[in-house]
Amino acid sequence: MRRESRVNERQRKILYCVVREYILTRKPISSEHVLNVSNLSCSGATVRNDLRKLEYLGYLYQPHTSAGRIPTDKGFRFYVDETLKIAKDYAQKSHQVDVRYPMTYGDMEKILEGATIALARMTKGVVILEKPDTGRLKVLRAIVTPITSDHYLVSVVTELGLIKFMPFRTFESIDHTKLEALLNHVLKGRSIENPLGGVFENDWDESLIDLSEELISSMRDDLRSSMIKVGLDVLVSSEKFNIDEIRSLSKFFSDDTSIKSFLSRVSETPAVFIGSEHGIEGMERFSVFVDSYRKADEPMGKVLIITSKVVKYEEIMNVLTYVTSRLTEYFTVVTREVER
């Protein structure tokens, strides 16, 4: 018989109560505390016996004989699984989340940066957002707008809508309409990663060709930055972690290869990895949340949040789901508008 099957309904309620109260108080939870904050109709002796059984089954541990109980990773996993069962209720209430950083239509980079910053501030955690592979998207149009006599703005519209604003300055007089025509000749129907090359059919000015190549190269380099990362300072300053834990977190945060490798192993979202479950060395006191945002049914990227292991899981999951749903709405609506 599996150990988990030996936990009865009362013990499940006690375990859920212990984990919830530990998250709120950060202190070991006693049988008296369980009875005070729950509606259980049983004696203190019964609760103590159940706590001992839950400890034997690996859900809880007791720091010392006279102390209350603290959840193990297995105990936190039970709590998260129970919370996920009621995630639909939280999703229905997602409009109640106080989001002070609304997303508006415009530059995709700004939309994604705003969503990442909002998540970091709402969760007090590290947030890493995987950007769409925009360098390979088909360009629909490039627009060059004069700002002053020598300052201009290039706007690039792709299948995902307006994804890039790029200001630039020239020290020579240029015809911005000809530069716009040249950029569209090179990019329209193609991607920034794979623009039209070779000999031009039109008699283009060499200086405009050089400028267009510089602009496209700069945009390509910028778009290759595939992640947005914020919140390391917020998490480190809000929790008491030792220097080795901070080093491990910083190492993972700065290593794009490790982040991409981890995200590639997450096949189903939303997902929560508690303590040692995520397998990131030195980060056993952290939990990792992952969700995806999409364009209709097409995956666009993943969002990862790192928090302390002792956290209000339902609130983090609710906020993460809310933001990824908004991003999905943004990409889906923008794509439909562009396709009209």
Side-chain angles (χ1 to χ4, degrees):
M1 180 184 296
R2 294 179 59 198
R3 283 187 169 187
E4 287 80 356
S5 64
R6 295 161 58 185
V7 178
N8 61 36
E9 187 60 28
R10 184 187 66 245
Q11 291 160 353
R12 292 172 68 87
K13 291 179 179 179
I14 290 173
L15 176 55
Y16 188 91
C17 179
V18 169
V19 181
R20 182 194 64 200
E21 291 301 307
Y22 180 73
I23 289 171
L24 293 173
T25 66
R26 305 288 180 104
K27 296 178 181 179
I29 304 302
S30 66
S31 57
E32 290 77 13
H33 188 99
V34 170
L35 287 171
N36 287 337
V37 298
S38 69
N39 60 357
L40 292 168
S41 56
C42 57
S43 67
T46 299
V47 175
R48 284 191 290 274
N49 286 335
D50 286 340
L51 289 174
R52 280 193 287 270
K53 181 175 181 180
L54 291 168
E55 184 178 0
Y56 168 73
L57 294 174
Y59 291 101
L60 305 172
Y61 76 93
Q62 194 172 25
H64 51 84
T65 306
S66 61
R69 265 72 174 187
I70 292 175
T72 62
D73 283 0
K74 184 178 179 180
F76 279 114
R77 169 50 58 194
F78 166 85
Y79 178 84
V80 170
D81 289 345
E82 289 295 305
T83 301
L84 286 172
K85 292 178 182 178
I86 56 174
K88 289 183 179 180
D89 292 337
Y90 279 96
Q92 291 172 357
K93 299 175 183 178
S94 64
H95 64 279
Q96 298 176 5
V97 177
D98 182 17
V99 180
R100 300 179 182 179
Y101 313 96
M103 290 176 283
T104 57
Y105 297 113
D107 187 343
M108 187 194 73
E109 292 279 328
K110 298 300 182 185
I111 299 295
L112 295 176
E113 286 175 7
T116 308
I117 292 170
L119 270 175
R121 293 184 179 178
M122 288 188 285
T123 63
K124 292 182 171 59
V126 166
V127 180
I128 300 172
L129 185 144
E130 185 180 37
K131 296 196 294 187
D133 190 1
T134 51
R136 291 181 171 82
L137 291 172
K138 182 173 69 176
V139 174
L140 301 182
R141 187 183 176 193
I143 305 164
V144 180
T145 306
I147 306 300
T148 66
S149 59
D150 55 0
H151 288 82
Y152 300 85
L153 182 69
V154 176
S155 308
V156 179
V157 181
T158 74
E159 299 166 279
L160 289 182
L162 182 57
I163 69 157
K164 192 64 187 171
F165 288 117
M166 183 176 172
F168 69 95
R169 181 181 183 183
T170 67
F171 294 97
E172 298 179 5
S173 178
I174 65 168
D175 186 331
H176 73 276
T177 59
K178 288 185 178 180
L179 176 61
E180 179 177 303
L182 177 56
L183 286 172
N184 279 296
H185 176 74
V186 174
L187 290 174
K188 194 170 183 179
R190 305 178 70 85
S191 71
I192 292 174
E193 284 286 356
N194 186 32
L196 178 66
V199 180
F200 296 111
E201 295 177 359
N202 296 43
D203 186 20
W204 300 104
D205 186 283
E206 285 293 333
S207 63
L208 287 183
I209 293 175
D210 292 341
L211 178 56
S212 67
E213 289 176 346
E214 289 177 12
L215 290 171
I216 292 169
S217 177
S218 181
M219 284 187 279
R220 183 189 298 121
D221 291 342
D222 194 31
L223 290 172
R224 280 174 179 163
S225 175
S226 60
M227 295 183 198
I228 301 173
K229 308 176 186 179
V230 297
L232 182 61
D233 57 331
V234 175
L235 178 56
V236 170
S237 63
S238 64
E239 294 283 344
K240 292 181 179 179
F241 299 111
N242 63 45
I243 189 64
D244 289 333
E245 291 167 336
I246 294 173
R247 284 197 186 108
S248 297
L249 175 61
S250 299
K251 180 181 178 182
F252 179 76
F253 181 80
S254 61
D255 188 348
D256 284 5
T257 301
S258 294
I259 295 170
K260 289 177 182 177
S261 176
F262 177 81
L263 290 175
S264 69
R265 299 196 301 270
V266 181
S267 56
E268 295 185 11
T269 57
V272 184
F273 303 90
I274 302 163
S276 57
E277 290 180 352
H278 49 62
I280 305 171
E281 186 177 354
M283 289 177 53
E284 290 77 16
R285 285 185 60 206
F286 298 90
S287 285
V288 178
F289 301 74
V290 183
D291 201 2
S292 302
Y293 63 98
R294 316 173 77 83
K295 179 186 73 175
D297 294 327
E298 179 185 350
M300 299 301 296
K302 292 187 177 79
V303 183
L304 178 151
I305 301 178
I306 303 173
T307 69
S308 163
K309 186 168 65 176
V310 185
V311 72
K312 295 179 180 178
Y313 286 87
E314 61 272 31
E315 292 187 7
I316 303 296
M317 288 186 289
N318 192 30
V319 168
L320 177 57
T321 301
Y322 178 86
V323 172
T324 53
S325 296
R326 291 288 306 277
L327 287 175
T328 295
E329 175 189 354
Y330 166 78
F331 282 110
T332 302
V333 171
V334 166
T335 302
R336 288 172 181 168
E337 289 182 348
V338 170
E339 290 174 348
R340 287 177 184 172

